[in-house]
């Protein structure tokens, strides 16, 4: 085990080895392979390239170097294209603070049986008079960025449950196509964070890649 695997339980270390193909003997080489690809995207500002950060993306893509780099590039490209989204991305920001207070997202204390952190959103709780949909998205991204620092969650992942029960037409009318696209793209480039999305008020629960 290397220092980059510190914080992982024996069970999670084994899971990383078997399911993610994580090998402590080649870990630094794997990380460098991804780092070496950065030169191929001079149009993107890669703000973090340290070992621990790149490791997140390798884990998210089961140590496929090319796929890990592509996700890393998409992550920073999204930030670059949506600079306003990440200005003052702090829990003290008024809009974020109100969204967090209303449970966007709600984080359960217990993990699921696979060791995943469970996040729950009750869409009907959105108080449009106090904060915007973008504030909700910023609160979710801030929460995910904070929690993914935990190496256990980098391996086990998250499950995000969205309950649309009692979501009104008035609330839905505020969701423009551009806002929805912003949210979808924001979560897609954080697929290392969100492994499954569920809609309990619909007939089934669909997995998202």
């Amino acid at each position: 085990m290397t220092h980059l695997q510190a914080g992982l339980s024996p069970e999670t270390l084994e899971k990383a080895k078997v399911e993610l193909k994580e090998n402590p003997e080649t870990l630094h080489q794997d990380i460098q392979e991804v780092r070496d690809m950065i030169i191929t995207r001079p149009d993107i500002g890669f703000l973090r390239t340290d070992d621990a950060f790149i490791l997140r993306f390798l884990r998210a893509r089961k140590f496929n170097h090319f796929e890990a780099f592509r996700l890393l590039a998409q992550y920073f490209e999204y930030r670059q294209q949506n600079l306003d989204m990440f200005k003052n991305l702090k829990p003290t920001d008024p809009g974020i603070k109100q969204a967090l207070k209303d449970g966007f997202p709600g984080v359960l204390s217990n993990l699921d049986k696979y060791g995943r952190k469970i996040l729950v959103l009750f869409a009907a709780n959105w108080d449009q008079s106090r904060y915007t949909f973008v504030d909700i998205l910023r609160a979710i991204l801030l929460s995910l960025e904070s929690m993914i620092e935990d190496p256990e969650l980098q391996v086990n992942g998250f499950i995000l449950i969205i309950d649309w029960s009692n979501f009104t037409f008035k609330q839905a009318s505020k969701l423009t196509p551009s806002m929805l696209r912003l949210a979808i793209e924001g979560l897609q480039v954080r697929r290392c964070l969100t492994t499954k999305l569920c809609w309990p008020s619909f007939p089934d629960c669909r997995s998202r890649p």
Side-chain angles (χ1 to χ4, degrees):
M1 184 178 78
T2 75
H3 72 280
L4 289 170
Q5 293 177 307
L8 295 180
S9 68
E11 294 78 15
T12 306
L13 275 170
E14 182 63 19
K15 183 176 183 178
K17 177 182 177 182
V18 174
E19 297 185 16
L20 306 185
K21 304 180 179 66
E22 184 168 323
N23 183 350
E25 295 182 2
T26 61
L27 203 54
H28 289 283
Q29 180 182 338
D30 292 326
I31 291 168
Q32 190 58 46
E33 292 255 1
V34 174
R35 188 182 287 118
D36 288 344
M37 296 183 198
I38 290 175
I39 195 173
T40 67
R41 292 298 306 271
D43 56 311
I44 297 175
F46 292 85
L47 303 180
R48 278 192 66 180
T49 59
D50 55 278
D51 288 356
F53 189 73
I54 292 176
L55 179 56
R56 299 182 194 178
F57 296 86
L58 280 164
R59 285 171 170 164
R61 288 295 174 266
K62 297 184 177 181
F63 280 75
N64 180 307
H65 298 158
F66 176 76
E67 291 298 326
F69 172 71
R70 187 164 72 167
L71 186 61
L72 176 68
Q74 289 172 342
Y75 175 91
F76 282 117
E77 188 172 35
Y78 180 82
R79 294 183 67 103
Q80 194 167 287
Q81 293 174 347
N82 301 282
L83 294 175
D84 288 343
M85 281 279 295
F86 297 93
K87 287 182 180 177
N88 196 36
L89 192 68
K90 301 176 182 178
T92 54
D93 175 85
I96 293 176
K97 185 176 182 179
Q98 291 294 341
L100 291 171
K101 186 177 178 180
D102 280 359
F104 291 105
V107 182
L108 303 189
S109 56
N110 295 329
L111 305 174
D112 75 355
K113 64 180 180 180
Y114 301 109
R116 297 179 299 190
K117 179 70 74 174
I118 305 170
L119 288 75
V120 182
L121 302 180
F122 293 97
N125 286 355
W126 177 17
D127 185 344
Q128 297 171 332
S129 68
R130 295 189 297 135
Y131 49 91
T132 67
F133 178 75
V134 172
D135 289 326
I136 291 176
L137 179 57
R138 278 160 50 82
I140 294 171
L141 296 182
L142 174 64
S143 299
L144 290 172
E145 291 284 357
S146 176
M147 288 185 286
I148 201 58
E149 295 286 343
D150 184 346
E152 286 278 325
L153 296 179
Q154 292 173 20
V155 174
N156 293 319
F158 294 78
I159 179 168
L160 174 60
I161 301 172
I162 306 177
D163 189 342
W164 294 97
S165 301
N166 302 315
F167 192 66
T168 66
F169 178 79
K170 181 181 179 181
Q171 289 172 311
S173 67
K174 298 293 185 181
L175 298 178
T176 65
S178 61
M179 286 182 180
L180 292 173
R181 183 169 60 250
L182 186 69
I184 291 169
E185 290 176 354
L187 291 175
Q188 280 182 336
V189 298
R190 284 161 179 77
R191 282 179 286 186
C192 54
L193 312 179
T194 307
T195 60
K196 192 173 185 181
L197 301 177
C198 296
W199 286 263
S201 56
F202 283 78
D204 60 346
C205 183
R206 298 182 177 84
S207 295
R208 294 293 187 269

